[in-house]
Structure formats: C-alpha cells, structure tokens
Amino acid sequence: MSVWPAWEVREGERATRWLHVRLDFGDGARIDALATVCEGWVCVEDVQARPALALEDLAVLADWIEGPLARACGDEPDPGGEDAGTGTHRDGSARPRGPQEARLVARAYREAQERGADPVLAVMDETGYSRRGSLRLIGRTRDAGLLSPRHARR
C-alpha cells in the first residue's frame, strides 16, 4: 500500500489532510482512494477499484487504510484501532481471493473449532469481513468442499 499527500488545509490549530491511497493486490486488482484525515478521523472521499469492490470490501476499506494513513500524518493509531486487529489485511497487505481465500477461511474455521472458539468470529478476524460477509465466505468454502456440510437440523 502506498500513501502520498494531495493537499492540506489549516484552520487555526486544526489541519485537514487529503491523501491519495493505493492498494495493489497480488492478483492484479487495485484500489485508489482519496481520504481525509482530521483530528483522528479518517473519511474516504473517493474510491476507484478494478475490479469493483464487493460491499463487504467497501465496508472494511477504512479499516485497511486507517493505520497507514495515521502513520503518513505522523500520528500513531489508537490502541483499539488498526494495529490491534488480528486479521492479515489489517497490516495493509493484500488479502487473498478465490481458492486461496477459501483455504484461509477453512484453516481459520477449523483452528477455531479445535480451540473451542467461535469459528465465525475467527473467520471475521482473519478476513476483516462482517459477520454476514464471513458467513457467505464460509458457505462458499463449504460449497468448494473445503469444509464439511452443515449438520441437518432436527
């Protein structure tokens, strides 16, 4: 991920910074965004992605870029923010797609089951998706045969 300044506006003690953000993924996908940072807040002004983002990806875009933006502005992310997450995407690295993503989901799901933890939460932490998005991923992973089918309800 690369971040570079676009412009800055100062009003007294308050400064608002606009930054260009680019995320390049291993599969050739790319996201370009224009974000503002002011008083610890990150706002995404514009996003262009090739291929288009799924709603789940758009929902976590700010999480992906918050820490690197804060560092670009000379601020440290807050303790509950970007660096506190356990998901691999939270360090700005590219999240796998397709078969690699399914293997990642299956591994996180099974490891959580073995520990006696909630497998859906483990997938959420690993991928950065919401609960709903993680459940969709788990379903697709089951369809791909990497997880056993759900038990029939009685």
Side-chain angles (χ1 to χ4, degrees):
M1 182 165 104
S2 53
V3 178
W4 65 96
W7 64 89
E8 180 176 323
V9 175
R10 291 197 171 273
E11 296 176 31
E13 295 295 314
R14 182 178 171 191
T16 301
R17 296 179 180 121
W18 281 262
L19 298 128
H20 293 286
V21 180
R22 175 167 290 160
L23 290 90
D24 290 305
F25 295 86
D27 63 357
R30 186 170 91 190
I31 300 172
D32 288 306
L34 179 64
T36 58
V37 178
C38 182
E39 297 179 349
W41 290 89
V42 174
C43 297
V44 178
E45 300 285 331
D46 183 49
V47 176
Q48 295 180 6
R50 300 238 191 284
L53 291 174
L55 287 177
E56 292 89 3
D57 292 335
L58 189 57
V60 296
L61 177 63
D63 291 338
W64 291 348
I65 66 175
E66 182 178 17
L69 285 173
R71 284 189 289 281
C73 293
D75 299 328
E76 290 299 315
D78 62 329
E82 183 262 346
D83 290 337
T86 59
T88 57
H89 73 279
R90 295 199 186 266
D91 66 358
S93 64
R95 185 174 60 213
R97 300 278 184 191
Q100 292 174 328
E101 184 177 50
R103 285 191 292 276
L104 175 85
V105 168
R107 189 192 81 236
Y109 190 95
R110 281 194 213 102
E111 287 175 358
Q113 278 184 323
E114 290 169 7
R115 291 191 320 265
D118 182 347
V120 177
L121 286 177
V123 171
M124 289 170 64
D125 284 344
E126 189 67 31
T127 64
Y129 281 112
S130 66
R131 183 168 191 83
R132 179 184 241 166
S134 294
L135 288 169
R136 280 192 209 114
L137 275 176
I138 292 166
R140 286 194 296 255
T141 303
R142 285 186 200 288
D143 292 345
L146 297 173
L147 288 173
S148 60
R150 289 184 54 179
H151 298 290
R153 293 188 177 164
R154 296 180 188 189

